[in-house]
Structures are given as C-alpha cells and as structure tokens.
Amino acid sequence: MKILYVSSLCSDKYFKNIFENSRVKPQQQAQKFHSLLSKGLIELTDDLYVLSRPPIQRSKHKIEHLKTKGNLKSGSCSITYNHLKVLNIVVLKQFLLFCTSFFYALKWGLKNRKQEKAIFFDPLNLSISVAAMLVAKILNVKSVAIVTDIPDFMKEYTFKKKSFINRATSKCYTGICNFLLHKYDYYILLTEQMNEVINFSKKPYIVMEGLVDSQMKNTMNLLDYKYNEKIVIYAGALYEKYGVKKLIDAFMKLKDSDVKLWLYGAGEMEDYVKKCEKEDYRIKYFGVVPNELIVKEQLKATLLVNPRPSYEDFTKYSFPSKNMEYMVSGTPILTTRLQGMPSEYNKYVYLIEDETVSGVKSALETILGKNRGELHEQGVKAKEFVISEKNNQVQASKIINFISA
C-alpha cells in the first residue's frame, strides 16, 4: 500500500533545525506522535510520502525549503519528506500552502493511480488537509483522519486578549475544521468519546490512545542509575487548567527536604513557576528543552506526574501523550483518573483520587513514601505493558489491518 501522510511531520533533522533556530519553539508532542506512527507504518507499506506543513512560527529564523529522503527500513522502502514553503504573510501563506499541497498530492495520486493507496490526514492542519482532501475525492482515494484533538475544545492560551481579527480567524478555522472533520472515510481516535462528537455518519473507526517507540525496549531503566534524591518531574504545557498550579501548591506543602520538583515546558504559568522556584529551593524550572533530554531525565527520576483534572470535559476527548512517554520510560507515573483513559491502564499507574491541593499532597506523600524497589517495579510493569501492547509497530499494524478490511 502507498501512503500519503499529510501533517506537520518533519524529518528529524529538519525539525531539529526549526527547534534550534526558532524563538517560539514548536510543539514536540505532535512531531513525536506522527514520527512514531510514520516509522511504524513504513514497516508495513511499500513507501510513505510525507506532505509537511512545517511548524514554523512567525519569528526570526533561517529555515530553507528542504526536500529530504531517509531510509528508515532495511530494504527498498523509505519515507520521503516534502517540507512545504511557509511565507510570513498571513493570507498569501495559506493560499500558497493550499496550492502547493494540492499540486503535490495530485502528483502523488496520479503517479500511484494503479496502486492500492490511502491518504492519512492530521485534520488540524487545515490548509494542506483541505487541498489533499479535494485530491482524495477527485481520485477516489481512501481518506484516513488521525484525530488528536477536537477543534471546539482547542484553546489558545495567551497572556493577552485576542484581537477582533484573531477571534474571527479562530472562529472561521474552527468552523471549517468541524465541517471537514465529518468528511473522512476512516477515523483513528484517541478516545471512544471522540466518536460521539465527530463521527455522525458512523464511518469505520478505531481507538488508539497513543503509541510508544518500540526501540525503547532497548533502553534500560536501572535503579542504580537513578538520582539519590527523590526527583518528581512534570513535563508539558504549563497551564492552570492542566493542574500545574495545584501540583506546585501541593508540592510546596510537603515537608520532606529530600524531594525535588522539576518542571519542563512553557505556558501561562511560567511566571508563577519562577516565583515558586525562588520561594522553594526544591523547585527547579528548566523551560523548553529537546524531548530527548527530557526522556533521559525521566529514566533517572523517582516519579513522573500528570495532574490534569479528570472533571474537565476536554479530558473525554484526549489521551495525554505524556502519559505514554512517562510509562515507556519505566519510571512510575502518578496521574488522575482521566475520562478518556481506558480502565486497563489503572493497574499500571498510581492514581490521584482526591484532586484538591490537599489530595494531591496526600498522594505525593503516599507514593514517595514507598521504598525505591517497589516504585521501580511499578514503573517496569507499566513499561512492559505499553511496549508490548502500544508500541508504534503494533499500533501501525492495527491501522493497516483496519483500513484494508
């Protein structure tokens, strides 16, 4: 099967270039998710062509148009990345992306017109998805939506209020996204609840909460290599709505001087995090760093935390990628009982049952009071589960079987 993958996915080298040269750092979660899935798919397909709208912000950087090809499988199969040009002129940028996406998608479709093929979409990348969807309809190609978020629940967190133009643009984007979201042939969803709000026509779908790198099975999490101090890590968006303030406030109430809280990421809570860092020597803020560095630190930590409130409606329609990354590290995870998290995960994670500040404090005290061996054993069990059941090759195989049935 030939696959056209329409998203913001870049080659590893190209993404690193963007990350290092952009003042506004691109989201690493989306890159990692689509990269893992694409590398799983290439093991099962003839070849994979990535049509990429690179995650370049309107900031000063020197990123040139680049078309690269990387052999990611032994043999003749490979992933080809076509990174589209992104202008810094708002209207022209979207128009150019639409035109170039349509051209390359049509060229790919005509080249492979006699082959079994499918187009995989990240529907949130609107300009290139609309163009590729048009090609899919013209050439009668299977369209597969990889839905990682619901447009109506996407919130842009800023320090300033949006202007009228930004509000109007955002409303237009959401409206078009919602309209297009109902037009695909197949759906890959993060939670079962997503199906209720987007799949009105009852098209075929499967639930794939996330995926982990199959290569992590070769990365050992060894007790002897962990920090002597009790290191608690939160890595992700720093928003109060995600429970970050509650986590920090709960941590500061702990009396144990040997425990540390390390935070990675960016968001509206940055100033508060820095303020608390000055008030409590046990808190350390690292900002936005490359994901590979975070993964290395997770291996040496004592506990990884995701305090995202389970009572928020948006948790029905999301499965945090950080939970999968936490679990595959082999370090135990403390999380809330998220509405979109299947019950099969519960025995592999520690749960915050009371989501008040005092409840989070109590959960931290209980877990950090366990001996190192017990904590390590829980983390290893979680890793074994996701490596065997949720790795990118297993998940890609489920998808290929699903759309080929």
Side-chain angles (χ1 to χ4, degrees), residues 19 176 181 183 247 384 403:
F19 190 87
I176 298 174
L181 203 51
K183 303 299 180 182
L247 170 64
E384 290 174 349
I403 66 173

Side-chain angles (χ1 to χ4, degrees), residues 247-388:
L247 170 64
I248 295 173
D249 291 348
F251 176 85
M252 293 178 73
K253 292 180 179 296
L254 296 178
K255 296 179 180 179
D256 190 347
S257 61
D258 191 40
V259 63
K260 311 289 184 184
L261 175 62
W262 292 358
L263 299 109
Y264 297 84
E268 64 179 12
M269 294 289 299
E270 285 181 46
D271 289 342
Y272 185 77
V273 173
K274 292 175 182 177
K275 171 179 170 291
C276 293
E277 184 181 27
K278 292 178 180 178
E279 295 176 2
D280 191 328
Y281 70 92
R282 300 172 301 170
I283 296 174
K284 190 169 183 180
Y285 175 51
F286 293 86
V288 179
V289 302
N291 182 255
E292 54 265 30
L293 177 59
I294 295 175
V295 171
K296 289 180 180 178
E297 292 303 316
Q298 288 171 351
L299 294 173
K300 296 184 288 183
T302 305
L303 183 67
L304 310 175
V305 183
N306 182 6
R308 184 172 297 196
S310 63
Y311 49 81
E312 294 281 1
D313 278 346
F314 69 84
T315 65
K316 298 178 185 176
Y317 312 111
S318 64
F319 189 99
S321 59
K322 71 166 61 63
N323 279 22
M324 302 297 278
E325 181 178 284
Y326 283 174
M327 292 177 76
V328 80
S329 73
T331 295
I333 167 179
L334 174 64
T335 183
T336 54
R337 197 184 292 269
L338 296 168
Q339 297 181 65
M341 183 172 71
S343 59
E344 64 176 328
Y345 284 82
N346 290 349
K347 61 183 176 181
Y348 300 107
V349 302
Y350 292 119
L351 292 168
I352 300 172
E353 300 290 3
D354 176 4
E355 297 179 32
T356 63
V357 171
S358 61
V360 175
K361 170 181 174 287
S362 177
L364 287 170
E365 285 178 330
T366 299
I367 304 306
L368 293 172
K370 296 179 181 292
N371 67 64
R372 288 164 58 88
E374 183 180 350
L375 288 173
H376 187 253
E377 183 180 348
Q378 176 74 353
V380 169
K381 285 196 301 183
K383 177 175 181 174
E384 290 174 349
F385 167 65
V386 292
I387 279 289
S388 62

Side-chain angles (χ1 to χ4, degrees), residues 121-145:
F121 295 81
D122 173 3
L124 303 180
N125 279 276
L126 193 56
S127 53
I128 62 174
S129 289
V130 171
M133 173 61 85
L134 186 57
V135 170
K137 298 299 183 185
I138 292 172
L139 300 181
N140 194 29
V141 180
K142 293 177 181 178
S143 57
V144 184

Side-chain angles (χ1 to χ4, degrees), residues 77-105:
C77 297
S78 63
I79 298 179
T80 300
Y81 300 89
N82 187 352
H83 305 114
L84 302 175
K85 285 185 177 180
V86 180
L87 295 180
N88 278 342
I89 304 173
V90 178
V91 178
L92 287 179
K93 174 174 69 176
Q94 302 303 333
F95 179 73
L96 179 61
L97 284 170
F98 175 87
C99 292
T100 53
S101 299
F102 181 83
F103 170 77
Y104 285 117

Side-chain angles (χ1 to χ4, degrees), residues 39 116 148 161 222 275:
K39 291 172 182 177
E116 182 184 8
T148 57
K161 292 183 178 180
L222 302 175
K275 171 179 170 291

Side-chain angles (χ1 to χ4, degrees), residues 3 11 22 38 64 66-67 79 100 114 147 163 184 263 292 294 298 309 321 334 376:
I3 291 178
S11 68
S22 296
S38 68
E64 302 296 333
L66 179 65
K67 187 173 183 178
I79 298 179
T100 53
K114 295 182 180 180
V147 187
S163 66
Y184 295 95
L263 299 109
E292 54 265 30
I294 295 175
Q298 288 171 351
S321 59
L334 174 64
H376 187 253

